[in-house]
Amino acid sequence: GEDVEQSLFLSVREGDSSVINCTYTDSSSTYLYWYKQEPGAGLQLLTYIFSNMDMKQDQRLTVLLNKKDKHLSLRIADTQTGDSAIYFCAEIYNQGGKLIFGQGTELSVKP
Amino acid sequence: EAGVVQSPRYKIIEKKQPVAFWCNPISGHNTLYWYRQNLGQGPELLIRYENEEAVDDSQLPKDRFSAERLKGVDSTLKIQPAELGDSAVYLCASSSGLADDNEQFFGPGTRLTVL
């Protein structure tokens, strides 16, 4: 069955880089996503990567995909206090179908 | 452009009572999803609609949960009767349904507390 795993917590200092890791099991996933959830808010799509790509960069965000190891990471450069939130990794299970989410990584950014 | 709208934002009920949640998706979005997010977990799909048709309801506990999207726009999710374990955030999402655009846009959710 499909499963997505993430570490639960990450704490960094303001200005440092953050790296959030994720592993997944469904090798047929076509897209992999990173969502951000702030307290009391819904999920906001940050970025996504197509499964035939190794890397995608979008301003301060870099996504790395190792399809062989089924490992996905999100790097946030120059992390700010406003980046404090819960970050969810997700994969699409069947085209246009349901998203399978990890349990979320809580990022805490200290001044 | 308005995002996905959900109401109510918060609901507190006693167990065995019924409860209903409402969702208005982004205009023109044919696909609508209901997810449940338990505390400390990621969201899990309950049901997915393509227009008015429920195309995936395999994770919906059908003994107490029901959903409808009669005109292919707004949707309602109902629980009757509610149990303590139903306390969670219920998220609605929508997407265009186009083959090259599968981004799901999420509403703010309804936080349900069952006492």
Side-chain angles (χ1 to χ4, degrees):
Chain A
E2 64 278 7
D3 193 20
V4 179
E5 297 284 337
Q6 297 178 241
S7 53
L8 295 181
F9 300 100
L10 177 64
S11 180
V12 301
R13 291 229 172 259
E14 191 173 19
D16 288 349
S17 292
S18 309
V19 179
I20 303 171
N21 295 300
C22 169
T23 58
Y24 61 97
T25 56
D26 185 5
S27 58
S28 65
S29 295
T30 51
Y31 290 91
L32 294 124
Y33 300 84
W34 285 104
Y35 280 85
K36 177 182 180 183
Q37 187 175 40
E38 295 179 277
L43 291 110
Q44 172 196 358
L45 179 65
L46 283 179
T47 187
Y48 66 92
I49 188 167
F50 191 51
S51 60
N52 68 354
M53 298 170 64
D54 298 324
M55 186 184 84
K56 181 178 180 180
Q57 188 155 0
D58 183 0
Q59 299 182 337
R60 293 191 297 123
L61 305 178
T62 303
V63 179
L64 294 177
L65 175 60
N66 182 328
K67 199 170 182 182
K68 174 176 171 292
D69 294 337
K70 299 191 183 70
H71 182 266
L72 183 73
S73 67
L74 174 69
R75 179 177 180 270
I76 305 173
D78 186 24
T79 313
Q80 303 297 307
T81 54
D83 295 323
S84 293
I86 301 176
Y87 291 80
F88 291 93
C89 165
E91 60 174 347
I92 276 281
Y93 184 68
N94 296 329
Q95 184 66 28
K98 65 181 179 182
L99 287 167
I100 305 297
F101 287 88
Q103 64 269 58
T105 299
E106 183 174 351
L107 175 64
S108 174
V109 183
K110 301 186 186 312
Chain B
E1 179 184 323
V4 176
V5 179
Q6 291 188 248
S7 69
R9 291 294 311 277
Y10 305 90
K11 189 74 176 178
I12 300 173
I13 61 171
E14 294 188 343
K15 63 180 180 182
K16 301 185 182 179
Q17 294 301 305
V19 65
F21 315 124
W22 176 80
C23 173
N24 181 239
I26 291 173
S27 178
H29 278 192
N30 297 326
T31 307
L32 184 145
Y33 311 78
W34 283 103
Y35 288 86
R36 176 170 59 189
Q37 185 177 18
N38 292 315
L39 187 65
Q41 300 293 318
E44 295 179 319
L45 183 73
L46 291 173
I47 190 167
R48 173 167 67 99
Y49 282 93
E50 296 287 346
N51 298 303
E52 65 274 11
E53 182 183 357
V55 296
D56 183 358
D57 63 356
S58 57
Q59 302 302 308
L60 190 73
K62 297 180 184 63
D63 56 337
R64 298 183 300 108
F65 285 65
S66 64
E68 60 183 17
R69 194 186 185 199
L70 293 175
K71 296 183 179 179
V73 180
D74 295 2
S75 177
T76 303
L77 178 69
K78 298 179 182 176
I79 309 175
Q80 183 171 10
E83 297 179 351
L84 295 177
D86 296 331
S87 294
V89 176
Y90 291 82
L91 294 163
C92 180
S94 69
S95 66
S96 66
L98 298 175
D100 58 351
D101 179 15
N102 56 19
E103 180 179 350
Q104 295 183 25
F105 294 83
F106 283 81
T110 297
R111 182 177 296 276
L112 174 67
T113 301
V114 182
L115 303 177

